Amino acid sequence: MNCEMATKALSLLLYGELSFEEEELLQQHLDGCAGCREALERERRLHSLAGQFEIEPPSALLAECRQALAGRLGELRPAGTSRRGFEFMGRLREWLSRLRPAGMLWKPAAALGLVALGFFGARLGGVSEPVASRVRYVEPAPTGEVRIVLEETRQRVLSGRPDDSRIRELLLAAAADAED
């Protein structure tokens, strides 16, 4: 690990976002690099100072941001999405935003509805394999764009008889790997 990589990883270290291996590599680099240790201390002080202040955003800011986002989403309709389907989602969102029933039953009912929608949407949408993804890091560009790096894990299920050569190879690999 070089100094540039180490300084980029310091905030991730302080937030506990590094994998065990990445943290070990960073710690080894820090053990031998006084400049990066100083950078870590500066980063710790900065995080400490930032944690001391609480900023209360203007109350209208959230509504303005939502309106701006809705406008941008309307402009950036995903490719392959029909205008009618996109308009339906907009109308649904508008209708749901008008529903503000009193009482605490709204939140659990909405959560249950979202779970059901996700379940049936996945069944009808033809999701073929489970995918777990995690945002590794976000990098802003000078052009205003954002680059998001995801770590994705896909699961596959293979089945067969133990005398099948492919199954035998996988069984032997699993037996040889202590983590499997």
Side-chain angles (χ1 to χ4, degrees):
M1 178 174 284
N2 60 30
C3 291
E4 181 182 348
M5 292 169 57
T7 54
K8 286 182 179 181
L10 293 178
S11 285
L12 295 173
L13 174 71
L14 295 177
Y15 283 117
E17 293 293 321
L18 294 177
S19 69
F20 179 76
E21 293 82 16
E22 292 167 327
E23 193 171 324
E24 286 293 315
L25 285 172
L26 179 59
Q27 196 57 52
Q28 288 174 3
H29 178 81
L30 290 171
D31 288 344
C33 182
C36 288
R37 283 194 304 273
E38 290 173 15
L40 177 61
E41 286 308 312
R42 285 193 305 271
E43 193 78 22
R44 280 191 176 129
R45 285 193 302 272
L46 178 65
H47 282 245
S48 173
L49 288 172
Q52 293 176 3
F53 298 102
E54 186 175 320
I55 299 172
E56 185 65 34
S59 59
L61 180 63
L62 180 60
E64 290 173 16
C65 290
R66 284 183 176 164
Q67 284 179 333
L69 178 62
R72 289 288 294 163
L73 287 175
E75 295 170 13
L76 302 172
R77 183 167 39 103
T81 304
S82 71
R83 186 171 222 17
R84 188 172 12 174
F86 199 69
E87 288 171 356
F88 169 75
M89 291 304 289
R91 278 191 241 122
L92 178 64
R93 189 173 35 251
E94 182 182 324
W95 179 74
L96 288 174
S97 70
R98 282 191 234 149
L99 288 177
R100 302 262 187 227
M104 292 303 289
L105 287 178
W106 170 246
K107 291 180 182 179
L112 182 61
L114 286 174
V115 168
L117 181 65
F119 177 78
F120 290 114
R123 291 286 180 190
L124 295 174
V127 175
S128 60
E129 58 186 69
V131 176
S133 60
R134 176 179 174 212
V135 174
R136 192 72 205 131
Y137 65 87
V138 177
E139 185 177 86
T143 61
E145 293 180 337
V146 177
R147 181 177 171 215
I148 301 172
V149 176
L150 295 174
E151 286 182 350
E152 292 187 342
T153 304
R154 297 184 190 275
Q155 185 178 43
R156 283 192 326 168
V157 177
L158 299 175
S159 59
R161 300 190 53 80
D163 56 347
D164 181 0
S165 64
R166 181 149 165 90
I167 297 296
R168 188 174 38 243
E169 285 176 32
L170 290 171
L171 289 171
L172 290 172
D177 187 356
E179 293 181 18
D180 266 347

